[in-house]
Amino acid sequence: GLGEIEAAIEASGLVDQAFVALQAGELLTAYCATRLERDTLSALLHQHLSTKLPGYMIPAVFMVLDTLPVTTNGKLDRKALLALDVSTRLAEYIAAQSDTEVQLEMIWRQCFGQSKALSVTQSFFALGGNSLNAVIILNKIQHHWNYPFEIADIFAFQTIREFAQFIDVTQSQHTGTVRPTVENEAYEDM
């Protein structure tokens, strides 16, 4: 349950205290008392939790606070935490600019079933990404750019902007030297 997730987060040694809840009934959110920046904490905790918990138990959003609020009785003030608006903290909207970002944003949007355009600075995990989404996205990216990207790449470059830059680098290095295995797979799938 949620207690197990909180225990796993606290066992990481990255946070002083953690509280996990379902925001809006579906977004698994971890409120963490820590001195780390949110992006740093999110990346480190994802690494740590992926070895301890199944994908669906890993929070989609990490909220960083100096300390978790308590009631006058000294108990954790859950109401105050749940009143924090997760969506405003996720990411300001930054539109896709390069061709690669535009293509990648469309792929992500399809995979996440989003009708609104996604911000290129929003993290894969903040959108609710898990290993299943990663596999779907990976297949589309491999076919679109005809290059054997790996699951690890999605976890390493977690935003559309970062991944688009990574794609551009791989494409410039491998123009004309496409690994044939990907082409073969593409024909088999047809």
Side-chain angles (χ1 to χ4, degrees):
L2 299 179
E4 191 186 339
I5 304 172
E6 290 166 359
I9 292 173
E10 288 172 1
S12 70
L14 298 167
V15 305
D16 301 323
Q17 193 184 3
F19 167 65
V20 177
L22 277 173
Q23 269 279 15
E26 57 190 66
L27 203 59
L28 197 56
T29 306
Y31 301 85
C32 304
T34 179
R35 285 163 201 79
L36 293 172
E37 289 284 312
R38 202 177 72 101
D39 291 346
T40 309
L41 180 76
S42 180
L44 291 173
L45 274 181
H46 268 285
Q47 244 172 346
H48 168 77
L49 295 176
S50 62
T51 62
K52 306 277 184 281
L53 299 168
Y56 68 89
M57 286 177 77
I58 297 177
V61 180
F62 293 95
M63 297 283 278
V64 166
L65 304 154
D66 292 330
T67 54
L68 298 189
V70 289
T71 63
T72 44
N73 309 333
K75 289 206 172 116
L76 187 67
D77 191 345
R78 292 161 181 260
K79 279 202 179 122
L81 283 172
L82 293 172
L84 291 170
D85 185 6
V86 173
S87 58
T88 57
R89 297 278 198 98
L90 282 183
E92 59 209 289
Y93 173 71
I94 296 175
Q97 286 164 333
S98 70
D99 288 348
T100 309
E101 282 182 1
V102 170
Q103 297 290 336
L104 202 53
E105 191 273 334
M106 281 167 59
I107 289 172
W108 278 40
R109 209 187 323 170
Q110 283 174 348
C111 290
F112 285 112
Q114 299 270 2
S115 52
K116 286 205 305 241
L118 300 174
S119 172
V120 293
T121 56
Q122 201 160 21
S123 127
F124 171 76
F125 294 112
L127 287 163
N130 54 35
S131 46
L132 184 65
N133 300 116
V135 169
I136 296 168
I137 287 175
L138 190 67
N139 280 334
K140 289 181 182 291
I141 292 173
Q142 284 177 339
H143 284 291
H144 188 89
W145 280 281
N146 202 16
Y147 184 81
F149 295 104
E150 296 172 3
I151 287 280
D153 299 333
I154 292 179
F155 296 142
F157 306 98
Q158 291 179 14
T159 66
I160 292 172
R161 172 147 293 164
E162 288 171 352
F163 206 110
Q165 288 167 350
F166 175 62
I167 288 172
D168 289 340
V169 169
T170 59
Q171 293 301 294
S172 63
Q173 286 173 351
H174 291 274
T175 312
T177 55
V178 172
R179 298 182 200 178
T181 51
V182 178
E183 283 182 358
N184 297 346
E185 283 168 17
Y187 288 126
E188 281 166 22
D189 288 350
M190 283 165 130

